[in-house]
Amino acid sequence: MFSKKEYLVHILLFILTLITATLAGGEWVLGKSVLASGDQFLSLDDFWKATAFSIPFIGILLIHELGHFFTSLYHKVKCTLPFFIPVWLSFIGVPSIGTFGAVIRMKGLVNSRKKFFDIGIAGPLAGFVVALGLLVYGFSNLPPTDYIYQVHPEYADPNFEGYGEDVLDFDLGNNFLFWSLGEVFADPERMPSMSEVIHYPFLFAGYLALFFTALNLLPIGQLDGGHVIFGLFPRHHQTVSLVAFSGFIAYAGLGFINPYLPFDDLLLRIPLYIGFLYLCYSKSGLSTQTIWTIILSMAASQYTIAFFKPEWEGYQGWLFFAFLLGRVMGLRHPEVSGFKELSTSRKILGWIAILIFLISFSPKPFLFS
């Protein structure tokens, strides 16, 4: 079904991604890097230790994509093998997690609502089940409280008062499921703070798996969540997608244009932001007049909120993804022939997927300062 060259490309990308994720895991989990020297150098022994993060993390992404792949085969829809995207940016001083994820490209026509639903939902459900098991195991088997001293020996110093301003301050944003699992399965005395979860390979891998699952389940366009919404509410998909996208980008950009900024900065930001919003909506299928009405109303509302509540800020890290959704992927769903009702079991799975999104989504997943 696939040529030797195709197998070679996909296997090579998978191995490269596993390597870059392991390098990233060494940096996050162990605080060591191949670019460092002395005690901070990532040795071969440390590299193997970092696979405690990369193997479960990349494994869950693989299971997610195989869920799509095997469901496509079941419905006789041609598709590619998973394309993994290796990314390691430490050589330019940018933190990364080793990958931008993985994708499968559909090569055949998906001509029914049921097929779109099945293929779309299979990946997130498969990945979520494994991520849930990994997190339960991780919380139930936390290392002793002095484990963190292996990564941060300075914490054992009673005179330690925190890092200076030149050290990157990083934190993870919680979500309901991650918090709940910690409350139920973790020993409170061993439970790390969200800023230290990165040093616990199973917890960090599980957290990232929830992040990617929730991202894919956003009820927008042709994301997995968009396919779920199309399956449940085919005649209302466009409305749901547009409303969800507008809410997503409005939250992301909240605080970007702020009346308390210096006037010169504000004078530059306003046209740039409005132009950015226009690009995000330019492939929405809406009329130009409607697009301008939406983006000007959104910008005016955000400016007004910032005037009265300047402490209310969204998560500008979502803006790039919002651009990809609006400009590259699009907000519409492919048409199908007919709107045959889904079975009751599929409807139940669809609502379960929506629930998974709600309990796994972190409004501010990665916080840098």
Side-chain angles (χ1 to χ4, degrees):
M1 187 168 65
F2 301 104
S3 67
K4 290 183 179 179
K5 181 180 178 181
E6 287 177 306
Y7 279 118
L8 182 62
V9 168
H10 290 281
I11 291 173
L12 180 61
L13 285 175
F14 176 77
I15 293 174
L16 286 175
T17 303
L18 192 58
I19 292 172
T20 54
T22 305
L23 293 175
E27 294 163 357
W28 292 111
V29 178
L30 304 176
K32 298 184 178 184
S33 172
V34 293
L35 300 179
S37 58
D39 292 340
Q40 302 304 311
F41 177 74
L42 185 74
S43 66
L44 183 59
D45 185 53
D46 294 323
F47 181 87
W48 292 120
K49 289 179 181 178
T51 59
F53 161 77
S54 61
I55 289 178
F57 173 43
I58 300 303
I60 291 173
L61 294 185
L62 176 62
I63 289 169
H64 177 118
E65 295 304 324
L66 289 180
H68 293 313
F69 177 77
F70 286 119
T71 308
S72 297
L73 294 185
Y74 174 79
H75 284 298
K76 295 180 174 57
V77 176
K78 291 183 179 180
C79 66
T80 66
L81 289 164
F83 284 98
F84 279 82
I85 308 171
V87 176
W88 184 66
L89 303 175
S90 294
F91 62 93
I92 58 173
V94 178
S96 62
I97 57 174
T99 181
F100 280 154
V103 295
I104 280 180
R105 186 166 59 88
M106 307 307 296
K107 299 171 70 174
L109 176 65
V110 184
N111 59 0
S112 80
R113 174 184 168 195
K114 182 179 72 173
K115 290 181 182 180
F116 266 124
F117 178 87
D118 288 356
I119 294 171
I121 202 172
L125 289 185
F128 176 78
V129 170
V130 181
L132 186 61
L134 176 67
L135 286 172
V136 169
Y137 177 83
F139 281 120
S140 302
N141 295 273
L142 290 173
T145 52
D146 60 356
Y147 161 79
I148 195 63
Y149 299 151
Q150 299 176 27
V151 183
H152 291 293
E154 65 275 11
Y155 287 1
D157 184 352
N159 297 317
F160 179 71
E161 297 180 354
Y163 295 101
E165 294 181 358
D166 59 329
V167 176
L168 181 67
D169 187 12
F170 176 79
D171 204 356
L172 295 177
N174 221 330
N175 59 66
F176 181 78
L177 179 61
F178 194 86
W179 171 82
S180 299
L181 292 175
E183 290 291 310
V184 173
F185 294 102
D187 179 349
E189 295 184 359
R190 299 183 180 185
M191 181 65 187
S193 66
M194 292 304 293
S195 61
E196 301 294 349
V197 165
I198 57 174
H199 301 308
Y200 294 72
F202 296 149
L203 297 188
F204 190 35
Y207 179 90
L208 292 176
L210 293 185
F211 166 75
F212 278 105
T213 297
L215 206 63
N216 278 283
L217 284 175
L218 280 167
I220 298 172
Q222 297 186 54
L223 292 175
D224 296 338
H227 294 319
V228 171
I229 293 299
F230 184 74
L232 294 174
F233 317 107
R235 292 179 176 83
H236 303 288
H237 173 274
Q238 185 174 348
T239 301
V240 173
S241 178
L242 181 61
V243 171
F245 178 75
S246 297
F248 182 72
I249 200 171
Y251 167 74
L254 186 61
F256 186 77
I257 49 175
N258 189 315
Y260 300 102
L261 290 170
F263 181 75
D264 289 345
D265 289 351
L266 192 60
L267 202 61
L268 177 64
R269 284 194 179 202
I270 289 178
L272 284 177
Y273 184 59
I274 291 176
F276 168 80
L277 290 179
Y278 183 83
L279 288 176
C280 289
Y281 280 92
S282 59
K283 294 182 67 176
S284 63
L286 300 172
S287 67
T288 302
Q289 181 179 355
T290 301
I291 292 175
W292 279 110
T293 301
I294 291 174
I295 63 177
L296 291 178
S297 299
M298 184 182 297
S301 299
Q302 291 173 322
Y303 186 88
T304 303
I305 291 172
F307 179 80
F308 290 104
K309 291 289 185 179
E311 70 276 13
W312 288 9
E313 292 188 355
Y315 184 70
Q316 294 174 15
W318 290 127
L319 288 175
F320 177 68
F321 187 64
F323 175 80
L324 292 179
L325 285 176
R327 183 67 185 177
V328 180
M329 302 179 193
L331 306 182
R332 290 177 170 269
H333 195 280
E335 297 292 334
V336 298
S337 54
F339 294 110
K340 185 179 179 181
E341 196 79 6
L342 293 180
S343 65
T344 301
S345 60
R346 284 186 170 87
K347 289 181 180 179
I348 293 173
L349 286 177
W351 284 105
I352 290 175
I354 293 173
L355 177 61
I356 289 172
F357 165 73
L358 293 174
I359 63 177
S360 302
F361 184 75
S362 299
K364 297 182 179 181
F366 310 106
L367 303 172
F368 296 89
S369 61

